Amino acid sequence: MSFSTHTFQTNPHGSHLGFAFHEDMNEGQKIYFLAKFNEGAKEPKMIAESIFGAIVDSFEHSYSSDPYDRFEEALKAANNEAKKLQAYFSGTPDILVAFFDFHTLYLSQCGASEAYLLRGENMSQITEIPENSGDLFVNILNGKVIVEDSII
């Protein structure tokens, strides 16, 4: 299975509000992070790097062997990091975090971010915009993916 991330954003003001990161973990495991911050966010690159760093650090230091549990722990670490940086935010950012463990996808999002599964000739929205809460990431979607699938 191959993985790729593509983000497209038009930003006429020239400020950098969108970020895409990925990290190869163990064999067959990858983490993707896509974020878009609102105008007025202070140091959005630092926020994105800090939240993504908390996710990667959590995965690297997790004692759990269960991928779902590891992803849940990583999201809790991301939520804790986001709370520390709350003063830098301007509204809720749009963030999508995806963890692939061989043929299983684990996904969470905040804000108005959306993800779609393309399978054959069918396209399905696989995320729901969560209700506001004190945390950025409050839900986890997981399911099987096949080599021919595309996640956008």
Side-chain angles (χ1 to χ4, degrees):
M1 179 178 278
S2 62
F3 303 94
S4 64
T5 303
H6 301 283
T7 60
F8 301 95
Q9 178 179 333
T10 301
N11 192 349
H13 304 297
S15 57
H16 300 287
L17 300 172
F19 302 91
F21 306 125
H22 77 276
E23 183 78 21
D24 294 334
M25 301 306 287
N26 298 322
E27 182 181 348
Q29 297 180 333
K30 291 186 183 253
I31 301 171
Y32 291 91
F33 177 93
L34 303 172
K36 179 180 174 270
F37 293 88
N38 299 317
E39 290 284 340
K42 300 173 192 156
E43 300 187 48
K45 182 178 181 186
M46 181 273 297
I47 298 169
E49 289 174 343
S50 295
I51 293 173
F52 183 65
I55 292 168
V56 172
D57 287 348
S58 177
F59 267 99
E60 290 176 345
H61 296 101
S62 177
Y63 293 108
S64 178
S65 60
D66 182 78
Y68 184 95
D69 291 342
R70 291 178 68 207
F71 188 62
E72 184 176 42
E73 290 170 10
L75 294 177
K76 287 178 183 177
N79 284 333
N80 289 336
E81 188 66 21
K83 285 178 183 174
K84 294 178 200 173
L85 301 170
Q86 192 64 44
Y88 294 91
F89 285 75
S90 172
T92 302
D94 302 328
I95 302 175
L96 191 126
V97 180
F99 170 56
F100 289 89
D101 179 47
F102 290 96
H103 295 288
T104 303
L105 166 67
Y106 302 89
L107 186 107
S108 189
Q109 94 280 357
C110 66
S113 58
E114 298 177 348
Y116 297 86
L117 170 69
L118 297 174
R119 179 172 282 165
E121 295 181 11
N122 299 313
M123 180 170 77
S124 304
Q125 183 174 347
I126 57 174
T127 54
E128 296 178 6
I129 296 174
E131 294 187 22
N132 291 339
S133 76
D135 291 325
L136 288 181
F137 304 105
V138 295
N139 60 3
I140 298 175
L141 168 131
N142 68 318
K144 296 292 181 189
V145 290
I146 58 175
V147 174
E148 293 82 16
D149 287 346
S150 295
I151 309 294
I152 58 170

